[in-house]
């Protein structure tokens, strides 16, 4: 596409994407963009289960306990070394199984509730699956909606977004429609990205 759309006016972004801000995209253009860009979905790279299990042994506390087991082994305290190792294996296995089950439950939940959004197409506001969005779509978000894709804001009235899933920080971030300066963007990436 193009770099730093947040540093351009929304009109310039619409121009670069060949989008009419009042009409949206037409059906022919949508079809072409769907073929060119594909679905608006994350492609999950699933690691093999054995690799996910071994990742649990990289946790600092687990490494510390394994280090203690090795030291106990060198000091001739075989019972302690064995006890620590068995405890680490049990704790790691239980943690892995719980995480695996919760991930599977979350996957099932997300497939049961397909996410939808409101989009302007052919000058009509319609509701579609988020996976059907294409670059250049004009979307409408309201309080409580999930932001369905990377977007450039055209209009915002007292808009604050919960970005905790991306940043880990709990405060809401206020959003604006004005373009950001490149210097501002590079030094304050969590402050305001449109």
């Amino acid at each position: 596409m193009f770099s730093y759309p947040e540093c351009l006016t929304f009109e310039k972004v619409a121009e670069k994407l060949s989008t009419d801000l009042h009409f949206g995209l037409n059906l022919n253009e949508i079809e072409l963009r769907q073929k060119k860009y594909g679905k608006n979905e994350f492609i999950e790279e699933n690691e093999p289960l054995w690799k996910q299990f071994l990742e649990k042994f990289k946790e600092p506390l687990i490494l510390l306990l394994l280090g203690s087991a090795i030291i106990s082994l060198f000091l001739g305290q075989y019972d302690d070394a064995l006890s620590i190792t068995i405890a680490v294996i049990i704790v790691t296995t239980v943690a892995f199984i719980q995480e695996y089950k919760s991930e599977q439950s979350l996957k099932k939940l997300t497939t049961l509730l397909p996410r939808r959004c409101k989009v302007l197409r052919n000058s009509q506001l319609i509701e579609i699956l988020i996976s059907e969005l294409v670059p250049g779509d004009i979307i409408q978000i309201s309080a409580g909606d999930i932001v369905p894709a990377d977007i450039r804001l055209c209009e915002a009235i007292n808009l604050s977004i919960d970005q905790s899933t991306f940043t880990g920080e709990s405060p809401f971030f206020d959003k604006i429609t004005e373009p950001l300066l490149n210097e501002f963007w590079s030094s304050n990436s969590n402050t305001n990205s449109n």
Side-chain angles (χ1 to χ4, degrees), residues 42-152:
F42 286 113
I43 298 171
E44 292 184 39
E45 296 178 13
N46 291 329
E47 288 184 339
L49 289 177
W50 64 269
K51 214 173 193 181
Q52 291 177 26
F53 180 72
L54 291 179
E55 286 291 317
K56 295 289 172 209
F57 287 95
K58 292 182 179 178
E59 297 289 327
L61 185 58
I62 298 298
L63 291 173
L64 181 67
L65 288 170
L66 289 174
S68 300
I70 292 170
I71 291 171
S72 295
L73 192 65
F74 283 123
L75 294 175
Q77 298 173 347
Y78 302 113
D79 290 344
D80 289 346
L82 183 62
S83 299
I84 293 170
T85 304
I86 289 172
V88 165
I89 290 171
I90 290 171
V91 166
T92 306
T93 303
V94 169
F96 170 75
I97 291 170
Q98 286 179 333
E99 187 175 311
Y100 178 77
K101 284 182 177 179
S102 66
E103 284 177 4
Q104 295 306 311
S105 296
L106 184 61
K107 283 181 184 177
K108 285 180 185 176
L109 184 61
T110 55
T111 57
L112 288 175
L113 301 170
R115 296 186 174 175
R116 304 181 76 76
C117 67
K118 295 178 203 95
V119 63
L120 181 66
R121 290 184 171 173
N122 285 325
S123 63
Q124 292 183 336
L125 192 63
I126 61 172
E127 195 171 290
I128 64 168
L129 292 172
I130 288 174
S131 61
E132 296 174 4
L133 284 173
V134 295
D137 264 331
I138 307 294
I139 62 168
Q140 179 186 48
I141 53 177
S142 303
D145 285 353
I146 294 172
V147 177
D150 289 341
I151 60 172
R152 175 64 175 92

Side-chain angles (χ1 to χ4, degrees), residues 10-33:
F10 64 84
E11 294 93 350
K12 190 70 172 170
V13 172
E15 179 186 317
K16 285 185 173 275
L17 291 171
S18 303
T19 300
D20 184 314
L21 292 171
H22 303 288
F23 183 79
L25 297 173
N26 64 46
L27 296 177
N28 292 336
E29 190 60 32
I30 294 164
E31 193 174 304
L32 289 172
R33 293 180 191 207

